[in-house]
Amino acid sequence: MRIAFIVDRLQSLKAYKDTSIAIMRAAQAAGHAVWTIQQEAIHWSPLHGVCAEAVHLEMLADDVEWFVEVDRHVVALRDFRAVLMRKDPPFDIEYVTATWLLERAEAEGARVFNRPRALRDHPEKLSITEFARFAVPTTVARDAGIIHSFIEAERDVILKPLGGMGGSEVFHVRHDDPNRNVIVETLTHNGARTIMAQRYIPEIADGDKRVLLVAGEVVPYCLARIPKAGETRGNLAAGGKGVAQPLSSRDLEIATTLAPVLAARGLLLVGLDVIGDWLTEINVTSPTCMVEIAEQTGFDAAALFVAALERRCVAAD
């Protein structure tokens, strides 16, 4: 079958660690044709409906020259067997617009994963509020007074914007931090932007664990992203070291509770972030860490995902 991947610029993807590329390679290995689409290329016309210029790739094993372009032309999204939305944040108005177009494509017969409505309905930071019994103590606000009250109560917190990724603009702030006011002012844009404040979890030293859910199934290994010296962010993009490990009993409790709920909503691939015993984020836009888990444990989550995608497509026929 033909599978379209909506991704960032191909030249910006790092094949040695990129989960989208791992899934593309697994799809080709399973006999499927791999096509890629840029978010900005998606458009609607009265003649073709939702369509985009799509690029047919032959996937290569090399991590530098990792593809060869076979063909490119404008294709209606309904003509693919599946469309995978794997565009990285920011989750801005252009991203939301893409989900509107993808939802229109669904109405025209396209199969989109993760489902566009589910992407909009599950903001990656805020979604933990639905599962508050697992979530680290958190507040979400743009009012400086509310944020400062939370800092005073918790004494040691993490502040972060709602739409970022890779540890961007994440601050570790203590109640007596002399820069506390300016950090809050900067992050909230002087009260114009809503942010998240969470209790600081000392177990971050043991890693920010990425737990993967595939079609309601829990991948048995997570990737603990351990901060480098002098850092509180475990994100690999911020220099963290990834260590694959089996899930703890608490990881499993959280994952097995959330997995069927999120799968039923059209979220085929989800990445939970767990620090210590606390759920901190639910990632749905472009969850990563499949490559590192496969390299260190041999568990091929990309192949598991492609098999789940095949089952979903057959079931929809």
Side-chain angles (χ1 to χ4, degrees):
M1 61 187 187
R2 293 200 303 172
I3 305 174
F5 292 75
I6 302 171
V7 292
D8 289 292
R9 288 186 313 104
L10 299 184
Q11 294 75 14
S12 72
L13 304 182
K14 298 177 175 59
Y16 69 92
K17 68 172 186 176
D18 191 275
T19 289
S20 293
I21 293 175
I23 297 173
M24 291 181 204
R25 285 170 168 166
Q28 181 173 283
H32 306 304
V34 172
W35 294 68
T36 61
I37 292 171
Q38 301 296 293
Q39 177 179 286
E40 59 269 23
I42 303 169
H43 61 283
W44 179 88
S45 73
L47 182 61
H48 300 293
V50 180
C51 53
E53 182 181 67
V55 182
H56 182 195
L57 304 183
E58 177 187 349
M59 304 301 296
L60 306 177
D62 186 83
D63 283 342
V64 178
E65 302 294 333
W66 57 271
F67 71 90
V68 172
E69 181 177 327
V70 178
D71 187 19
R72 73 165 63 209
H73 56 268
V74 174
V75 184
L77 297 196
R78 63 177 176 271
D79 291 339
F80 292 104
R81 194 71 180 279
V83 177
L84 273 56
M85 180 54 162
R86 292 281 307 171
K87 174 73 175 64
D88 282 343
F91 195 95
D92 54 16
I93 190 59
E94 285 302 317
Y95 192 102
V96 172
T97 299
T99 68
W100 288 328
L101 287 167
L102 291 172
E103 197 165 11
R104 170 60 10 213
E106 283 187 317
E108 297 168 356
R111 301 181 183 96
V112 184
F113 307 94
N114 287 327
R115 292 200 67 185
R117 180 177 295 274
L119 289 172
R120 290 199 306 275
D121 288 350
H122 295 81
E124 299 188 320
K125 306 293 191 296
L126 278 172
S127 288
I128 64 168
T129 59
E130 181 182 353
F131 306 98
R133 68 188 178 101
F134 296 124
V136 63
T138 297
T139 196
V140 179
R142 69 186 204 179
D143 181 273
I146 294 172
I147 296 165
H148 284 297
S149 293
F150 183 82
I151 296 171
E152 286 298 324
E154 293 294 339
R155 314 298 281 176
D156 198 3
V157 306
I158 293 293
L159 303 180
K160 54 188 175 183
L162 297 177
M165 62 169 286
S168 174
E169 294 186 276
V170 174
F171 288 87
H172 181 193
V173 180
R174 295 179 176 84
H175 71 98
D176 57 354
D177 191 320
N179 293 311
R180 174 174 136 180
N181 287 335
V182 71
I183 290 171
V184 172
E185 290 167 4
T186 299
L187 277 178
T188 65
H189 296 176
N190 289 308
R193 180 173 75 163
T194 301
I195 68 168
M196 174 172 278
Q198 294 181 322
R199 175 189 293 172
Y200 174 72
I201 309 168
E203 289 85 353
I204 183 62
D206 300 320
D208 180 353
K209 294 173 285 187
R210 168 60 53 83
V211 179
L212 294 173
L213 312 179
V214 177
E217 181 177 345
V218 180
V219 171
Y221 299 94
C222 65
L223 190 75
R225 296 159 296 173
I226 300 171
K228 66 181 181 181
E231 263 283 4
T232 57
R233 299 173 299 171
N235 309 75
L236 300 183
K241 175 185 178 182
V243 178
Q245 59 190 40
L247 302 189
S248 69
S249 58
R250 177 64 168 177
D251 297 336
L252 274 171
E253 180 188 7
I254 295 170
T256 55
T257 301
L258 272 61
V261 175
L262 299 176
R265 297 174 182 173
L267 294 168
L268 193 64
L269 178 58
V270 176
L272 307 179
D273 286 350
V274 179
I275 302 176
D277 290 336
W278 300 100
L279 175 68
T280 62
E281 291 187 16
I282 300 175
N283 296 273
V284 300
T285 54
S286 55
T288 60
C289 298
M290 285 186 178
V291 175
E292 295 85 355
I293 289 172
E295 288 176 344
Q296 296 180 40
T297 71
F299 188 91
D300 193 345
L304 179 72
F305 176 83
V306 171
L309 182 66
E310 291 169 340
R311 290 194 300 271
R312 288 292 179 94
C313 290
V314 169
D317 288 341

